[in-house]
Amino acid sequence: MKKTFLAMLLLAASHAHAIGHLADLTVVDRQLNRTLPVYWHAGRAWVEGRPGNEYQIVVRNQTGSDLLAVVSVDGVNVVTGETASPAQGGYVIDSWRNLDITGWRKSLSRTAAFYFTEIADSYASRTGRPDHVGVIGAALFR
């Protein structure tokens, strides 16, 4: 029996209900080439992934102005690699555009892929920061 991995989506600095106000956030399973469905439980959004499958995060700017998206996976900023905080650097998304994030930024040309795994194998756990494994977060700023 295969285990599944659940990732909780948090948007706009910890409130999943903010999805759709400034931006939409989706998770795409890259092996299956499909957007993962969102399940709601106790006011939070969840996606289910297959262990070992790589995924990407898509943030769609729903406004007519640029947004700064400070995105984290497992409590780790996807640009800086630091323990996540809304005060850190992120990506600027042009109005009405999508941003595809396929992994943690290593350089301007390289990323380390996101993949669904057990807690102990996660990058955050292996670097001593397991507190937010399974959480995808985005703080959005106009």
Side-chain angles (χ1 to χ4, degrees), residues 14-86:
S14 83
H15 297 292
H17 69 273
I19 292 173
H21 290 236
L22 296 178
D24 285 332
L25 187 145
T26 56
V27 178
V28 177
D29 184 307
R30 297 178 72 192
Q31 271 69 36
L32 301 175
N33 194 31
R34 70 177 183 99
T35 298
L36 297 176
V38 175
Y39 302 99
W40 289 89
H41 177 72
R44 294 189 175 179
W46 300 81
V47 296
E48 180 179 7
R50 291 185 181 175
N53 283 15
E54 290 184 12
Y55 64 93
Q56 72 183 37
I57 299 163
V58 180
V59 183
R60 174 157 173 65
N61 183 343
Q62 296 286 73
T63 73
S65 59
D66 293 349
L67 290 178
L68 171 64
V70 181
V71 179
S72 64
V73 170
D74 295 346
V76 178
N77 182 301
V78 300
V79 174
T80 67
E82 298 172 6
T83 300
S85 165

Side-chain angles (χ1 to χ4, degrees), residues 91-105:
Y91 291 102
V92 174
I93 310 171
D94 292 334
S95 58
W96 310 113
R97 303 291 281 187
N98 288 351
L99 169 66
D100 296 329
I101 307 170
T102 58
W104 283 280
R105 177 76 35 212

Side-chain angles (χ1 to χ4, degrees), residues 5-9 46-47 73-75 119 122 130 132-136:
F5 179 87
L6 295 176
M8 181 174 55
L9 302 175
W46 300 81
V47 296
V73 170
D74 295 346
I119 292 174
S122 71
H132 300 288
V133 170
V135 177
I136 298 170

